[in-house]
Amino acid sequence: MGISVPSFFKERKFPFIFTLSLLLVCVTVLLFTNTNTPDPLFFYSDVHTSSSAQPVVIASPLPAHASNPITAPPIQNGPVWDETSIPVSVNFNWRLCTGSVAIDYIPCLDNFQAIKALKSRRHMEHRERHCPQPSPRCLEPLPKGYKVPVPWPESRDMIWYDNVPHPKLVEYKKDQNWVKKSDDYLIFPGGGTQFKEGVNHYTDFIEKTLPVIEWGRHVRVVLDVGCGVASFGGYLLDRNVITMSFAPKDEHEAQIQFALERGIPATLSVIGTQRLTFPDNAYDLIHCARCRVHWDADGGKPLLELNRILRPGGFFIWSATPVYRDDDRDKRVWKSMEALTRSMCWDVVAKTVDSTGIGLVIYRKPISFVRYFKRKENKPPICGPKDRKNSSWYVPLSSCVTLPPRSSWPLPWPNRLTSKPPSLATNPEAEEMFYKDTIHWSALVSDAYVNNAAINWSSVRNVMDMNAGYGGFAAALTDQLLWVMNVIPVHVPDTLSVIFDRGLIGIYHDWCESLNTYPRTYDLLHSSFLFENLSQRCDMIDVVVEMDRILRPGGYLVVQDTMEMINKMRPILHSLHWSTAVHKDQFLFGKKGFWRPGRGSSKS
């Protein structure tokens, strides 16, 4: 039966109608608000989003050398990684690697079948790369008792013994203060064969001997040959010097693994029969302290290789017994070294002995190529056009002198980071592209990466950019307590010289093969539009297995790519029990756990 208006008020139903009307207004406002709100920051299939996460607007996908910067408001709070089980839509039958080196397996350096078949080991061929075919797809087991690594800067001086349980070097170098074992830790006192009073005393001595070196301003990028546990490079970080430390995987067990666990840049390499994977004229200074390299061997090819990668006007510091001892053997070596360096037009700019009795000599490479044409004889010969090609991937060592280019020394650090690199092409388009690339990465790293709570940056120390371009990603992170290994894939345009000009470090590599590093040595891997072309050359599964090998448990992956490539990669990561997140149809975030086949998903 109908109700009249007077009877409605008489029955006191007005409060009900008022409440109902208020609710309808609220619902209308909410609907209107949702219609105009941007999409949430991330879409997760296996990750929860914080209720306080702020939206961000990111431009459409850009290539590594993009000309338009990405702008976005800072992310105050971000997603929280989900620890629950991850559904896997693709079946992968993963297994653990087996054998005596399973925990520290490096496929291209531990190919014992190929090494056994070598006809000679005279020139260190057995320490060079011999990659198995097909690439192995086993997963390295974790060392028993493996823990989250000690954070930087404490890690420079101490690391968990269980993470790198190798006592051989401790015993072998016990009288030289390289490394010691103390309870659950390996301790690094900062000593070495030539650093009797510590690395800081040694580096101070070098700068006092030749003040023009000016650590961290004039000399920024250093190569340490036969680095031991990389204490030389580790302590130079305090002086704004970035050092690429390298040594072979040899009887000095796990020295490079120690270096990377400490958070110091390092790579496995050897001066054998092939070029080092660096560009021409790259390093400001090269250092060798008793590095056991016979520089005059094979017609001087090892020292000629250093000449190739040393910047014109750059320095070579040699601290070894032939410099300061007078026995017959040392005299013969010194005489041979004198003749070789003279033929290469290197100048001795200092030769001295410090208070500990350790001596060194400092050579300087000529700035101008004119001097090479004034030699009495063309020996070693000047490299021809074929040898001058700036390629260093499976290229035999040369027995010729690489002429210095017509370029100047970079500006003092830190100005060289953002100024025009001397090796950049001279056309205006190249310079414009470089500066726009710098702006692009500065904005993207700041807004989408560093301020993103999906990544705990306080736990990130060792970073690798798998497709570095001009090094913009690394340049944007220079204020962080981390370092970046910039990789230039062999199938993309060569920009590695630009990266070194900027005061950064890097290597060439083919991602269809395994990297020269131990397992569990990087905290974050980054790539930008790498995988589309790469997937045409090799299987995506093999690349993901390699990323899983070199990334530490708890480490992160950041991939900018097409959704087609992200959708191919994501199920493989899930099968490895990684957590993932996709952002704006162009960014894939991944986080590696502690899972290994047959060992459940326990964490340490």
Side-chain angles (χ1 to χ4, degrees), residues 8 128 197 222 235 370 396 586:
F8 179 86
E128 295 180 322
E197 293 187 11
V222 171
Y235 280 82
V370 175
Q586 63 170 304

Side-chain angles (χ1 to χ4, degrees), residues 29-30 58 81 183 201 203 281 297 355 358 406 573:
V29 171
L30 287 172
I58 297 292
W81 294 101
D183 298 326
H201 170 84
T203 53
N281 311 299
S355 59
I358 299 297
R406 299 174 183 266
L573 295 175

Side-chain angles (χ1 to χ4, degrees), residues 179-199:
V179 55
K180 299 178 180 179
K181 188 175 185 301
S182 177
D183 298 326
D184 295 333
Y185 296 95
L186 290 170
I187 308 297
F188 299 88
T193 311
Q194 304 295 94
F195 316 142
K196 293 185 176 181
E197 293 187 11
V199 179

